[in-house]
Amino acid sequence: MTATKRPAPAVPGGRPSSDSDPVRVSFRRYAGVRTRVLEVGDPVQDPEQSASRRSLRRRAAAPHVRPSAPRLVLLHGYCDSADTWRPALEQLAAAGIPAIAVDLPGFGDAQPLRPGPMLPQLDAFTTAVVREQAVLGSVVLAGNSLGGTMSLRAAQNSRLPISGVVSIAAPGFVDSWLIRTMARYPLPLRLYSSLPVPVPGFLVRKVAEQLVPRLLYANAASADASQVQRFTALFPDYRATKSRLEQARQLVAELADAYRLDSVKVPLLVVACGKDKLVTAASGRQLHTLVPHSRLLVREDWGHCPQLDDPEEIAELLTYFAASAVRTTQAKRAAASAADGVAEDTAAG
């Protein structure tokens, strides 16, 4: 008898799951939060194996050890998950670029955020991810939307071993549609939250199915059905939707004091998207103005999540920027070290 193998369903991004999946999935704990990790390239060694994480750090810091290829850490936006980066991760895997994407606390398969301010919790989480990845090489952070905010906030911390940052559609710089909608809590949202009878779950999901492609993609007609389904699953019923709206209001309030951009010294690439319906391209241009050494890329054909619109080009962009950022950062550190050596010699003389 010959067994018949049924065709495997496609995974987000359109690759049939019968193909060899280059993306490894695991669960780890960062800053006390258990989360899901999508990874390509060399994995971080388990600390319980023969070499401890401490000895790995010593080896990575030793002057005779050549740094490995830049490692990309990819952060998603609000109400998203690491899966938004899966198509780009597949492209990076094909190019031999090590990278990870993580579910931020409160989203995807990560444990929920604790009560209280959100950004400090996300800061601690991002810091832990960066320090882990820095064991194996130079880290370049790339974030979309809320992930862009977290990448910028990490770059403000001079003690973190970050070689560069890519900020894609980070909110909080120009009074965008997103800010106006959530900060001012307009009448439709107030009515929704105060309805005496909850809106049926099927109706909530139906509305989400219509809105998600229009808000996240440059062209709603080209939206990947599996990605849309993943987003709509975040709004299964009235209660969950109301909770997400309240959480979004809190986050927008925190964005008012989120940045100390004069502390950003590492190479920064700002990506602004012309068809972004949530965070306008003007926000990216303003960020570029506030960080004079940054580079600006404006793509008129990209929407709020260009990793969904054009994962191949995003992967290529991240690859080239990461290599350039690492070279620039290493050159600056070498120059600073040489200057310190001259100062010491002068003082000794």
Side-chain angles (χ1 to χ4, degrees):
M1 175 182 284
T2 302
T4 302
K5 185 176 181 180
R6 290 183 294 180
V11 297
R15 177 186 52 78
S17 61
S18 57
D19 292 354
S20 177
D21 191 350
V23 181
R24 300 187 302 277
V25 181
S26 63
F27 284 83
R28 299 180 197 162
R29 192 172 293 274
Y30 300 106
V33 177
R34 187 175 185 269
T35 191
R36 184 179 57 126
V37 178
L38 307 184
E39 185 174 18
V40 297
D42 297 331
V44 171
Q45 188 167 347
D46 190 324
E48 296 180 357
Q49 293 178 356
S50 58
S52 69
R53 228 173 255 202
R54 183 175 300 175
S55 66
L56 281 171
R57 288 195 185 97
R58 286 199 299 267
R59 278 166 34 198
H64 63 277
V65 176
R66 292 179 60 84
S68 59
R71 303 188 67 80
L72 287 164
V73 174
L74 309 177
L75 304 179
H76 63 77
Y78 182 77
C79 274
D80 203 344
S81 74
D83 289 303
T84 194
W85 291 106
R86 182 181 281 272
L89 283 170
E90 293 174 359
Q91 297 292 329
L92 292 168
I97 306 299
I100 69 166
V102 293
D103 288 341
L104 291 173
F107 307 105
D109 289 326
Q111 290 180 315
L113 288 158
R114 301 184 301 276
M118 297 167 61
L119 291 181
Q121 297 180 59
L122 296 170
D123 286 336
F125 178 89
T126 302
T127 294
V129 175
V130 168
R131 293 195 183 283
E132 178 204 65
Q133 290 297 298
V135 168
L136 293 181
S138 301
V139 171
V140 172
L141 269 174
N144 172 232
S145 196
L146 173 60
T149 295
M150 302 321 303
S151 297
L152 289 169
R153 285 172 63 88
Q156 293 170 181
N157 183 353
S158 61
R159 294 172 295 178
L160 273 183
I162 297 173
S163 293
V165 165
V166 181
S167 174
I168 305 171
F173 298 100
V174 172
D175 189 20
S176 66
W177 179 90
L178 173 64
I179 301 299
R180 291 195 302 271
T181 300
M182 300 313 304
R184 299 175 187 175
Y185 206 34
L187 182 62
L189 293 184
R190 289 201 301 271
L191 290 175
Y192 180 87
S193 296
S194 61
L195 285 174
V197 178
V199 178
F202 78 89
L203 184 57
V204 172
R205 291 189 296 273
K206 195 68 177 177
V207 172
E209 287 172 4
Q210 296 299 314
L211 284 178
V212 166
R214 289 171 170 76
L215 294 179
L216 301 186
Y217 285 82
N219 179 8
S222 66
D224 183 284
S226 59
Q227 292 284 3
V228 173
Q229 184 180 16
R230 180 174 61 79
F231 276 100
T232 56
L234 296 169
F235 305 96
D237 51 36
Y238 168 83
R239 178 178 296 181
T241 303
K242 183 177 178 180
S243 176
R244 288 296 187 188
L245 289 174
E246 293 294 339
Q247 188 183 51
R249 288 187 64 216
Q250 177 185 337
L251 179 59
V252 167
E254 292 184 35
L255 285 175
D257 192 36
Y259 303 111
R260 299 288 185 273
L261 296 174
D262 56 341
S263 300
V264 177
K265 306 300 182 184
V266 298
L268 168 64
L269 174 62
V270 179
V271 179
C273 307
K275 292 189 176 181
D276 191 336
K277 302 174 186 68
L278 293 176
V279 178
T280 65
S283 189
R285 293 187 177 96
Q286 178 69 7
L287 171 57
H288 173 55
T289 301
L290 294 171
V291 185
H293 72 267
S294 66
R295 285 182 270 174
L296 174 66
L297 171 65
V298 180
R299 283 293 300 261
E300 297 295 344
D301 57 332
W302 283 351
H304 186 64
C305 295
Q307 68 273 14
L308 299 179
D309 282 321
D310 198 348
E312 184 174 356
E313 191 147 350
I314 280 290
E316 186 174 355
L317 174 68
L318 295 179
T319 298
Y320 281 104
F321 173 79
S324 173
V326 168
R327 286 196 301 269
T328 299
T329 301
Q330 289 177 342
K332 287 182 178 179
R333 289 171 181 166
S337 179
D340 290 342
V342 170
E344 291 176 1
D345 291 343
T346 302

